[in-house]
Amino acid sequence: MTTQPMNPEDFGALISAVSQAHSEFVYSAEVVASHNDLTPARWQVISAAAQTPATVSQIARALGLTRQSVQRVADDAVKLGLAAYRTNPKHARASLLAPTKKGRAAVQAAQAAQAEWAAEVAASLTAEQAQQVLGAIELILEASQRHWDETDP
């Protein structure tokens, strides 16, 4: 086993492969979510309100998104009957978003399809291979964050 650092050209190829994997994961989420009037964004927002109805601002903070983007997705989900706004007893102007029966069913169907996809994809790797990939990605993230922490003014 070699202990030499990776060369920049090979690192570029690795970045490209990770980028392609990210695109594949986004595509897979879109396909899984496309059934039952979901998009990945609707799935995410409805899921965030599934446990406890929440305001759009609360959902946005929890997901690390802007309130405006969550508002647009929430309004869209309400128009499609996937969610509904409820009166907020703590704030008259900030309604609570909650999934409807149709929305809960759509999220459950998406979660089941995602689990099936994940099981099939995961079966292509051994546990050891997955740990090696995860470990390498963690090292890359740490090194990149360290670089920017040290060089970003």
Side-chain angles (χ1 to χ4, degrees):
M1 181 173 189
T2 181
T3 58
Q4 292 183 345
M6 179 181 244
N7 69 50
E9 293 80 21
D10 288 343
F11 186 65
L14 177 64
I15 289 172
S16 178
V18 169
S19 180
Q20 289 175 326
H22 175 263
S23 295
E24 180 63 25
F25 297 151
V26 169
Y27 171 77
S28 297
E30 289 170 353
V31 170
V32 165
S34 69
H35 307 286
N36 304 303
D37 293 326
L38 287 179
T39 63
R42 286 183 206 141
W43 184 6
Q44 187 178 32
V45 168
I46 293 168
S47 293
Q51 293 294 338
T52 304
T55 65
V56 166
S57 292
Q58 290 169 329
I59 293 169
R61 276 192 299 279
L63 298 177
L65 301 170
T66 66
R67 187 200 59 76
Q68 294 85 350
S69 66
V70 172
Q71 185 70 62
R72 183 187 58 75
V73 172
D75 289 346
D76 192 37
V78 168
K79 285 179 190 169
L80 293 168
L82 297 168
Y85 289 116
R86 295 183 181 168
T87 303
N88 184 348
K90 295 181 181 178
H91 194 288
R93 290 183 16 190
S95 298
L96 299 172
L97 183 73
T100 61
K101 195 174 191 178
K102 178 182 175 182
R104 284 188 191 281
V107 166
Q108 288 171 349
Q111 289 169 334
Q114 181 188 40
E116 183 181 324
W117 167 83
E120 186 174 328
V121 173
S124 68
L125 288 172
T126 65
E128 183 180 343
Q129 289 170 322
Q131 276 306 120
Q132 289 174 339
V133 170
L134 179 59
I137 289 172
E138 288 171 345
L139 288 172
I140 290 167
L141 290 173
E142 289 170 13
S144 181
Q145 290 164 353
R146 189 171 45 253
H147 169 81
W148 294 117
D149 287 347
E150 293 170 0
T151 60
D152 201 19

